[in-house]
Amino acid sequence: MDHSFHLFVFLCWIIYAILHSVMASAYFKRYVQQWMGRLFRYYRLIYSCIAAVLLILLLFFQFSRSSIVLVKHSWPLVMAGLPMSLAGLVVMIKCVKKYFLNLSGVDVLLKQQKSTLLEQSGLHRYVRHPLYSGTLLFVWALFLLFPFLNNLIACVVITAYTLIGIRIEEHKLVLEFGDAYRRYAAKTPKLIPVFWKRPSGKAGDYAEQA
């Protein structure tokens, strides 16, 4: 097995994560805003399209060649992976369905204004970042179903990138919502829900930002 392929997969995921972070950073967006002027309102849509295309190309490359099998395929892995993948996929679909306009930037084409309310209802009653929770659950479930080295590389990079991104995200949310977000964060888990605690929260229209 050519290990250079897996090294290149790892580097591609790292580069993708860095590009994604840079394009979402406030500093980069301020620079682009000066360059784009009034057209900057389309930046989120352009950013989403570029990120989607790069992700598709990266996944196509990752699965273009066979990879090293790390764990022998077995029924326990399948029985664990199937419900995990289904649960993660359901959470992802619910979040994307609810926040698609804001997340993708399509709202600018529909001339809808973004909400500034802090969302504490629905899945946000149980975790502060349900989209991230669902994504991590889904990708690790896929690794259980397909325990290959290239999939493990993707899972590790995605997890590390998500954990770093959450820290940056929460810093932005504290700046935006102040003590309201601090109180919400104090009573609501970040990624792993605690179902035996009675959740509480107000309705809102908050969407996670990349």
Side-chain angles (χ1 to χ4, degrees):
M1 179 62 66
D2 184 7
H3 293 285
S4 61
F5 167 71
H6 295 95
L7 177 60
F8 196 58
V9 168
F10 174 73
L11 292 176
C12 285
W13 275 107
I14 293 294
I15 293 172
Y16 177 80
I18 292 175
L19 287 176
H20 196 276
S21 298
V22 169
M23 292 180 67
S25 67
Y27 176 81
F28 183 79
K29 286 191 285 189
R30 284 196 297 268
Y31 174 80
V32 174
Q33 186 174 17
Q34 294 177 357
W35 177 65
M36 295 183 67
R38 296 179 60 184
L39 295 177
F40 180 73
R41 63 181 182 273
Y42 298 104
Y43 177 76
R44 162 63 72 170
L45 180 59
I46 296 172
Y47 161 80
S48 298
C49 291
I50 293 175
V53 170
L54 291 178
L55 180 59
I56 292 172
L57 293 175
L58 176 52
L59 292 175
F60 178 79
F61 171 72
Q62 176 175 324
F63 298 115
S64 64
R65 296 176 59 178
S66 59
S67 183
I68 298 174
V69 179
L70 298 178
V71 182
K72 185 178 180 180
H73 211 260
S74 62
W75 279 108
L77 290 180
V78 174
M79 295 302 292
L82 283 177
M84 285 175 57
S85 62
L86 180 60
L89 187 60
V90 169
V91 171
M92 290 170 63
I93 291 174
K94 287 180 66 69
C95 291
V96 171
K97 182 179 178 181
K98 185 173 183 179
Y99 303 125
F100 175 75
L101 295 182
N102 283 345
L103 287 173
S104 64
V106 174
D107 54 349
V108 70
L109 300 178
L110 302 178
K111 297 182 179 180
Q112 294 186 2
Q113 289 192 345
K114 296 181 180 180
S115 173
T116 57
L117 295 177
L118 174 61
E119 177 63 87
Q120 301 179 56
S121 63
L123 294 175
H124 288 277
R125 298 174 63 193
Y126 303 97
V127 289
R128 304 200 296 273
H129 305 280
L131 179 57
Y132 298 151
S133 298
T135 300
L136 293 179
L137 184 62
F138 181 70
V139 296
W140 281 104
L142 288 184
F143 173 69
L144 293 181
L145 294 173
F146 307 99
F148 305 123
L149 179 56
N150 57 355
N151 290 338
L152 177 61
I153 291 172
C155 287
V156 171
V157 176
I158 290 172
T159 301
Y161 171 70
T162 300
L163 295 178
I164 295 173
I166 284 177
R167 294 178 64 88
I168 299 173
E169 170 83 7
E170 297 219 315
H171 178 69
K172 295 179 182 178
L173 293 171
V174 169
L175 292 178
E176 183 175 358
F177 296 107
D179 289 338
Y181 189 79
R182 293 189 182 94
R183 290 192 296 269
Y184 169 62
K187 66 183 180 182
T188 310
K190 185 181 297 183
L191 285 171
I192 303 175
V194 182
F195 293 108
W196 56 85
K197 290 185 179 180
R198 185 177 180 181
S200 61
K202 303 175 183 178
D205 202 15
Y206 157 68
E208 296 178 36
Q209 301 176 16

